[in-house]
Amino acid sequence: MSYFTIENSYVALTISNTGAEICSLKNQIEEMEYIWQGDPASWEEHAPLLFPAVGDWKENRYVYKEKMYEMPLHGFARTQKFTVRQEGQSLCCTLYDNEETWQFYPFHFCLEIRYSLDRNVVHVEQYIQNRGEETMPYSIGEHMGFRVPLFASERYEDYWIELEKMEQAGRYPLLDGSTIGDPIPCLENEAQIRLDRNMFASGAWNFEGLRSERVCLKNSRNSHRILLDFPGFTHFSLWSMPGAPFLCMEPCNGIAASKEE
């Protein structure tokens, strides 16, 4: 595993060539780490990239051209070695299909993730190219884990998610740890989701078709904010391990399979 860093006077971003995963995002001025640093007791990852599947499929199997394939949870990209190229204040991470990916996914593709800095903003661009002649189904998403709370003197309950727009939306619960259930009431013409340590006891909170394309992680104890823009994504999820000091914000184009699928 190799690590690559780009930085300016505002932030420093470090990614791994394994999965093109963000491993660190530091505020250079205050020496503040925003990304969850992993803990075997709860969740060891930081911000895995989800491709070409998001969540579980039914039995994690599918048939293509009369052949059975098994798809790992959240796809295989997060365990693959990307080629990383640095271009000034940008990192370009590229993955091509190979003999290992063909075991799970019989398609020819190029997946490219580009990270770049603009003052205190990190731009993340995703490019997927179908290198074959057949239709290539896929889902893609981010699974970014942020430290919550940021300081030992704070509580998880001091934080909330501020949505860009007022939302009228149910959330899709995770059943039996894998499949998606029918939506249950959640947002009733409101734009805030307060955090609670027990809110993810039954799994992630999954939303589909939100009007908002931006969320902001805020707290009542200090001025630190994390803005996340996700234009063009169809789904948005929140997740953590109950009691663990992190929050994952997950814009995705795709979702786990429903119990009927």
Side-chain angles (χ1 to χ4, degrees):
M1 184 180 300
S2 300
Y3 297 93
F4 301 82
T5 299
I6 49 177
E7 60 184 317
N8 56 27
S9 58
Y10 296 91
V11 295
L13 175 74
T14 299
I15 66 106
S16 168
N17 68 327
T18 300
E21 181 180 16
I22 295 175
C23 298
S24 173
L25 177 59
K26 290 183 178 178
N27 180 323
Q28 298 273 64
I29 299 172
E30 300 187 38
E31 298 184 353
M32 169 68 67
E33 175 66 68
Y34 290 112
I35 295 295
W36 168 246
Q37 291 303 287
D39 184 344
S42 54
W43 187 54
E44 294 186 271
E45 299 180 83
H46 310 284
L49 175 68
L50 316 182
F51 176 87
V54 174
D56 279 305
W57 295 5
K58 187 175 183 179
E59 299 179 348
N60 282 333
R61 297 177 180 177
Y62 68 100
V63 176
Y64 180 74
K65 290 189 173 180
E66 300 182 350
K67 183 177 178 180
M68 178 76 72
Y69 294 89
E70 293 193 13
M71 178 65 69
L73 172 66
H74 292 319
F76 51 74
R78 61 181 180 165
T79 62
Q80 290 285 307
K81 291 291 192 295
F82 283 66
T83 299
V84 180
R85 183 179 71 255
Q86 184 164 353
E87 300 174 348
Q89 289 296 299
S90 298
L91 293 169
C92 181
C93 310
T94 306
L95 174 67
Y96 287 95
D97 60 280
N98 55 66
E99 290 187 3
E100 186 177 351
T101 68
W102 296 334
Q103 298 176 40
F104 313 113
Y105 188 65
F107 299 97
H108 299 286
F109 66 88
C110 175
L111 171 61
E112 185 175 283
I113 308 297
R114 297 179 185 174
Y115 299 101
S116 57
L117 302 181
D118 179 9
R119 295 169 64 88
N120 63 346
V121 176
V122 178
H123 294 283
V124 183
E125 302 170 79
Q126 302 172 337
Y127 299 92
I128 303 101
Q129 178 187 3
N130 181 357
R131 301 173 62 235
E133 296 181 355
E134 303 180 22
T135 300
M136 187 182 82
Y138 70 88
S139 296
I140 191 167
E142 299 282 354
H143 199 299
M144 299 179 182
F146 297 95
R147 293 177 55 235
V148 176
L150 290 171
F151 300 96
S153 60
E154 299 174 338
R155 303 177 309 140
Y156 203 76
E157 288 76 9
D158 293 329
Y159 286 72
W160 71 90
I161 294 292
E162 187 88 24
L163 296 149
E164 176 188 22
K165 299 177 180 179
M166 302 292 281
E167 298 285 354
Q168 186 78 30
R171 64 176 179 88
Y172 290 79
L174 195 64
L175 306 176
D176 59 45
S178 58
T179 57
I180 295 294
D182 296 329
I184 58 179
C186 184
L187 298 174
E188 301 289 345
N189 195 32
E190 54 191 317
Q192 284 190 2
I193 301 174
R194 304 290 312 195
L195 299 191
D196 180 274
R197 284 191 176 275
N198 298 314
M199 65 188 291
F200 302 112
S202 298
W205 287 29
N206 305 288
F207 298 94
E208 181 178 18
L210 292 178
R211 297 167 58 241
S212 300
E213 294 185 328
R214 164 181 283 190
V215 297
C216 183
L217 178 61
K218 296 182 175 182
N219 75 86
S220 59
R221 303 291 293 275
N222 59 64
S223 60
H224 286 278
R225 303 285 186 268
I226 296 174
L227 279 171
L228 179 63
D229 290 305
F230 49 98
F233 284 88
T234 57
H235 296 79
F236 179 74
S237 298
L238 299 171
W239 175 78
S240 184
M241 293 292 290
F246 70 87
L247 175 71
C248 287
M249 298 192 288
E250 309 173 22
C252 297
N253 279 322
I255 196 170
S258 70
K259 56 188 177 182
E260 289 81 17
E261 293 176 321

